[in-house]
Amino acid sequence: SFDELKKSTNSFSETNEIGSGGYGKVYRGMLSSGQLVAIKRAQEGSKQGAHEFRNEIELLSRVHHKNLVGLVGFCFEKGEQMLVYEFMHNGTLRQSLSGKSGIKPDWKRRLRIALGSARGLAYLHELADPPIIHRDVKSSNILLDENLNAKVADFGLSKLVSDCEKGHVSTQVKGTMGYLDPEYYLTQQLSDKSDVYSFGVVMLELLTARQPIKKSNYIVREVKTAINMKDEEYYGLKEIMDPIIQNTTHLIAFRRFIELAMRCVEESAADRPTMSNVVKEIETMLHNTG
Ligand code: ADP
């Protein structure tokens, strides 16, 4: 309730600031029920922030899925804009892969993280009504709960796709360099396949633990080079793979995973799988991983 929210916001202090994003700071708080929450507070006077906040509220109140970060409440008044989310104890996937929070996930855990986030996105694309394109899929927008389950966050840029648009929307290009679908970038035609591209980049990140740098498609080209130059067993991958997960017993699994990632990052959107195809394939991989 609003009262609860007010109470929890009274406990703001520098000490429980947990992060800061493009549009303000994020704090940890507790509701009177005892539930831990993350409170995102917009910087005063940020017009774009206000737009994205409203967008996030509208979208998040339509969707419910265990792999999408839940909105607990919000406050949207003149002078004060706050979004309250379920608290995700293990921070972002990016922090986790960089070793900045907790232990780095092992291979099986990475497959589960990929599966969870893929399910969240498949839900947005295929089950939400109307469908939703996230538009900013990246490892810093995938949050991990206390059991390292993945939830997709940050719907500030997301777009509803109403039926009349037939899955294609012409928009001003938005997103994050390094994750951005090159076809969308060139044509400004947005579709759910743009999220698939970005998700493919996240898969490459799960393998390499490297962060895609802002130079467009750098990580994609780097991986392509590594697997093209060497033999068909992809031993070239070793040079760019996260040493923590390198293990010869997983070689076949790595190959399947990277082949799927490479289809996700195909230049042409039509050649990319749908998110629900991705879900099915990762389910099979997980099933085959002892
Ligand atoms: P950005 O605007 O850069 O995408 P956010 O404002 O969404 O970043 O989040 C900033 C930081 O706050 C994140 O990197 C993360 O560490 C933390 N954070 C965001 N949401 C949550 C949450 N629900 N639970 C725990 N931590 C969170």
Side-chain angles (χ1 to χ4, degrees), residues 18-22 26 38 40 85-88 92 95 141 143 154:
I18 50 174
S20 106
V26 182
K40 205 172 181 178
Y85 303 92
E86 57 179 319
F87 186 73
M88 300 291 282
T92 70
Q95 288 162 339
N141 282 339
L143 299 177
D154 222 332

Side-chain angles (χ1 to χ4, degrees), residues 20 26 29 39 47 64 69 83 88 92 108-110 128 135 162 170 188 195 202 216 226 232 247 262:
S20 106
V26 182
I39 301 155
K47 259 200 182 144
H64 299 281
V69 69
L83 295 175
M88 300 291 282
T92 70
K108 195 162 187 184
R109 176 53 64 189
R110 289 185 201 200
R135 290 220 291 175
S162 46
S170 186
Q188 302 180 352
D195 283 351
V202 172
S216 75
E232 59 188 13
N247 179 333
M262 283 323 207

